[in-house]
Amino acid sequence: MQVALEEIKIRKRVRRKNEDIEPLMDSMKRYGLFNPITINSRMVLVAGARRLEAAKRLGWRTINAVMLDDTDKITEL
């Protein structure tokens, strides 16, 4: 499913720095997004912070995402 970037909420992340975004941006620009990000039903990012950041820097308005029905506190960290 396609989700607007501005609708995705980002909570506290385990990996705080989005390092090496440039190579990822280059790959996404050339080939597209191979693996969708993961969000929960409240539009909170569960996995894919670097991919989301790369999409924002590339000027994308939407991104392909997989939505989980239920998440717990551990999954959201």
Side-chain angles (χ1 to χ4, degrees):
M1 77 191 268
Q2 289 291 315
V3 178
L5 297 180
E6 71 252 5
E7 293 180 19
I8 300 168
K9 301 172 190 100
I10 302 172
R11 301 281 190 239
K12 181 179 171 185
R13 307 297 305 158
V14 172
R15 181 187 291 176
R16 298 198 195 289
K17 294 182 181 179
N18 286 326
E19 298 172 351
D20 298 325
I21 293 291
E22 295 296 325
L24 178 58
M25 288 173 59
D26 183 48
S27 174
M28 288 171 61
K29 189 175 182 179
R30 286 179 166 201
Y31 308 111
L33 183 65
F34 287 130
N35 297 308
I37 64 169
T38 304
I39 57 175
N40 66 20
S41 59
R42 294 181 308 273
M43 303 299 283
V44 176
L45 182 70
V46 174
R50 290 181 63 243
R51 287 170 277 164
L52 180 62
E53 180 62 28
K56 287 178 181 179
R57 291 185 190 187
L58 287 169
W60 293 7
R61 293 182 180 187
T62 63
I63 192 166
N64 195 21
V66 173
M67 184 178 289
L68 300 176
D69 291 331
D70 265 335
T71 59
D72 55 26
K73 293 293 181 188
I74 293 174
T75 306
E76 291 182 5
L77 294 178

